[in-house]
Amino acid sequence: MSILEDDEHHRLHLSGPLTIYEVDEVKERLLAQPGVTLDLSGVTECDGSGLQLLMLIHRDAGTRLTAPSDAVTDILHLCGLSHLAEEPS
Amino acid sequence: MTRETSTESGQEKAQYLIFNLRGEPFAIPLLGVKEIIEYGSVTPIPGMPEFIRGVINLRGRVVPVIDLAARFGEPPTVIGERTCVVIVELHEETGVQDMGIVVDGVNAVSDIPASDLEPPPKFGAKIRVDFIQGMWKSQDRFVIVLDQARVLSVQEINQLAALVEDTQMA
Amino acid sequence: MTLDLTAALQTYTVESQELLEEMERALLALEAGREDPDLIDAIFRSAHTIKGSSGMFGLDAVVAFAHEVETLLEAVRSGQQPIDATLVTLLLRCHDHIAALVHSTLDEDAPADLLAQGDALTAQLHAWLGGAPGDNRTSDDAWHISLRCGQELFRDGMDPLSILRYLGTLGELISVTTLDDALPHAERMDPTSCYLGFEIDLKTEADKQEIDSAFEFIRESSQVHLIPPGSKPAQWAELIQALPEGHDKLGEILVSTGVLTRHELAAAMGIQVIDSPAKPLGDILVEQGLAPREAVNAALGRQMHAGRTAGERYVRVEADKLDRLVDLVGELVISSTVTTLRASHSNDRALQEAVATSSRFIEEVRDAALGLRMVPIGGTFSRFQRVVHDLSQELGKHIELVISGGETELDKTVVDRIGDPLTHLVRNAIDHAIESPEERQAAGKNPLGRLQLNAHHENGSILIELSDDGRGLDRQRIANKAIERGLIDSADGLSDQDVFQLIFAPGFSTAEQVSNLSGRGVGMDVVKRTIEDLRGTVELENRPGQGATVRLRMPLTLAIIDGFLVSVGDARYVVPLDTVEECMELGEVGRRDYLDLRGEVLPFLRLRDLLRDTTETPARQSVVVVSYAGKKAGLVVDRLLGELQTVIKPLGEVFSALKWISGCTVLDVGQVGLILDVPVLVDQAERREATSGHLTAALR
């Protein structure tokens, strides 16, 4: 898992898996930067705890979720949360 | 104190408070009278018409006090032993307003049947005709029943006060 | 209509107004680009609650219209209908319409044109939804599954998503709603704990055992409710009991659990409207066979529970009752001063201590009572978002409003009365101060204009500031206009501040001058008068080419004043302490009414003359030096009696012509003391001399 800052577009790129093993670190990093746009196109795997974390930062840190990878799109659809992430603009 | 007009035997009558002013009897409806207090510690308010004697502190509320005699254009009441202040409640458009009126003494409460009220004389009373609601013959003399709303019209008092203020400040 | 119902109706309008304000705030936040499902929820909740309470009063028009709005919002909430600027604008108009409908309930029936307007909006709402509003009832033949995950789930190596996927293999997942109600705020949330909840509708051929097997490994730690198709009412009731907090309204619960559709609910509310307001919604639902009694009772139980927890935080009290309380506490303070005085004359130490303790409590009671009247200014401020939105759109300007200090508390009377003058100032700034985007660009400014509204405490008063980054005040233009209007002969010798203050002079702006936007029947003179009535002042700060700031300074509370007590003859007067600079003895003065204040010429007023006091003038008199708005003057009085803090009482309608008295107070001896309005006194004195000066000059 990695979180890279993209200076040009002022957004963060989250890559690799987002599962129970990563959520602690990801939570800390993302809560420290409220209001950012988070690019999810590099997320290879996402479980329930990953989804829960995305819901949290969206709700409490105002993080905008964008460009969900297939793995993310799939679970958002499954849970009736497709509106949570935006298509890339 | 708040007994309303009763209609015994189809006869409209109401209770009135009879009081003395310079030796003459006057009446106002008892309905609006809240209490009668001894005259004392009136704070004068400068710049007001002469008939406004000032304000008193009535248990924390500030109530204006009107000198009725002066309001009728006569010399102001001389404070004596029997002088008292009748506190009346006025229902103005802007809300309820308490006002005190200085009188030379309170005589009685009387039932006056509406049919016994004579219209005011066109002249001769030496009081503005619109201040008089009617005349009531009590035993051997006439009691002037006042039109309280006119006599104590806050709006009119206000206009008079503004006039005094303007002349003083000009 | 009986008296009771009128009172209830008033409560209803007040509450609806608050809900509408919340709805407007949320809509404007959406428009400002915030994408937050909470906002949609807030808007939905407002519309829904207004619909519900309108139903109680038989306000069919409101119910019907709010229902249409709610249907569209439902689609937005479920993600079927994306929200964009056009939709927000439509919803804002719907908001206005609901507000107008609610307002019209205080009169008799809603006027016809209002209803016609509603029909037009309804048509637009339908257009958005693409035809008639559809039912969102879940299929009759689907299983309903409620799942509340146990916190240990993830750590036990389980994942609710896997369960969902497995359920998907059993049949068709008709709908899945993921709930974050149990998800704590970020700081307290442990990412490895599971807080999720799911409401699932599953259409399947599988039997209960098969479905149940999906939850085999989590049954211990989690809550699972399975409700078969065509289920018994008792099971629905059980489910409602188990639902998380947040879906509190009876109707909401029944709809979200699929017992009722929105249409059935609306129909039920319609029946309630016609029948009588006394019949509870629940009874009607049952009578009409729309919902089983058990389900209704369970939902009602939850609703009452929710109502209680919310109700504990606020109590609605009539303002009159508060005023009466503050009045009485004021009396208490006064009488306690007398008690303290008496006790200090006695030799009883124990009594003195007891009195000291009780007077300390009394002071605390007074502070607490006054605190009850304090409300935050934020509610008033946020109203202006809408004003700015509408007006800047109308004028083709781009303006953002930045609000700060909304939590600053001030007296309710001030908050109530400051709204209109502030609106006028805001409109004025948008209309006149901030330039068009083109002009701004040409001047090298950001085309987006900026208005800042701020409130904060300063030296025991409240400062409300409205700043714009517009063109600033033009001394020359203001002076010319004032000359044109005959307010001044020439601006020579006037300070900038004096010239700017002319804006507030009566007759400065006239109907043909003011555009219909900032017009609306109030001029800047009314703004100033209102502020001064509230014992406040207005200051202007100019930044030529860069904007201007209007500063309203107001007392924290209108109920209490710190004053300086003086006497003239037998009468006592209170000079507001914030205007008092210093006191001194009146020494030898000449014929002229001024004295030498450390080399400065200080004109003075003899209160004795002004008040036409006929008592004998004492041999020694004192001077209270007062100042306001940069002017200084002396007030000559008989005696100085010291500082006091006292409760202000209005002098009443009868004395409203007396401009130089701002109120009165009951002094400790039971006497009434008059509170002097220093600015008026000084201004009147100035005006008097100015006119007589002119006269003498003319006669010469």
Side-chain angles (χ1 to χ4, degrees), chain C residues 1 36 110 122 131 274 363 407 426 431 434 482 490 515 613 617 670:
Chain C
M1 194 172 276
D36 185 349
T122 306
I274 299 154
E363 269 170 35
E407 72 288 347
V426 168
D431 201 7
I434 296 185
S490 146
S515 79
D613 198 282
T617 312

Side-chain angles (χ1 to χ4, degrees), chain C residues 147 204 222 230 269 271 339 360 439 458 556 647 683 687:
Chain C
L147 169 61
T204 178
S222 305
M269 302 206 43
I271 295 157
T339 319
R360 205 168 51 239
E439 256 177 275
E458 195 183 281
L556 265 179
V647 178
D683 283 348
R687 254 203 311 274

Side-chain angles (χ1 to χ4, degrees), chain C residues 380-381 383-389 391 395 399 401 419-434 451-453 465-468 517-518 524 527 550:
Chain C
T380 307
F381 276 7
R383 280 210 325 241
F384 296 120
Q385 290 287 8
R386 184 64 190 277
V387 174
V388 172
H389 167 267
L391 205 54
L395 292 170
I399 299 169
L401 175 65
D420 284 350
L422 265 184
T423 311
H424 189 76
L425 291 172
V426 168
R427 287 174 165 277
N428 209 62
I430 300 170
D431 201 7
H432 300 307
I434 296 185
L451 266 180
Q452 271 176 291
L453 202 48
E465 293 175 317
L466 177 70
S467 308
D468 64 67
L517 296 174
S518 38
M524 292 292 258
V527 171
V550 186

Side-chain angles (χ1 to χ4, degrees), chain C residues 328-387:
Chain C
L328 286 172
V329 172
E331 295 309 315
L332 193 61
V333 171
I334 290 164
S335 63
S336 114
T337 323
V338 179
T339 319
T340 311
L341 200 70
R342 292 280 157 131
S344 71
H345 290 327
S346 81
N347 287 324
D348 190 337
R349 288 295 291 275
L351 174 68
Q352 286 170 358
E353 271 171 35
V355 168
T357 313
S358 76
S359 72
R360 205 168 51 239
F361 279 123
I362 288 171
E363 269 170 35
E364 274 180 41
V365 169
R366 183 194 60 195
D367 291 349
L370 287 175
L372 294 177
R373 292 191 48 88
M374 305 298 270
V375 293
I377 184 88
T380 307
F381 276 7
S382 50
R383 280 210 325 241
F384 296 120
Q385 290 287 8
R386 184 64 190 277
V387 174

Side-chain angles (χ1 to χ4, degrees), chain C residues 270-291:
Chain C
I271 295 157
Q272 180 174 25
V273 166
I274 299 154
D275 269 11
S276 89
K279 192 170 242 180
L281 173 63
D283 288 356
I284 296 161
L285 292 175
V286 175
E287 257 172 45
Q288 301 289 314
L290 290 172

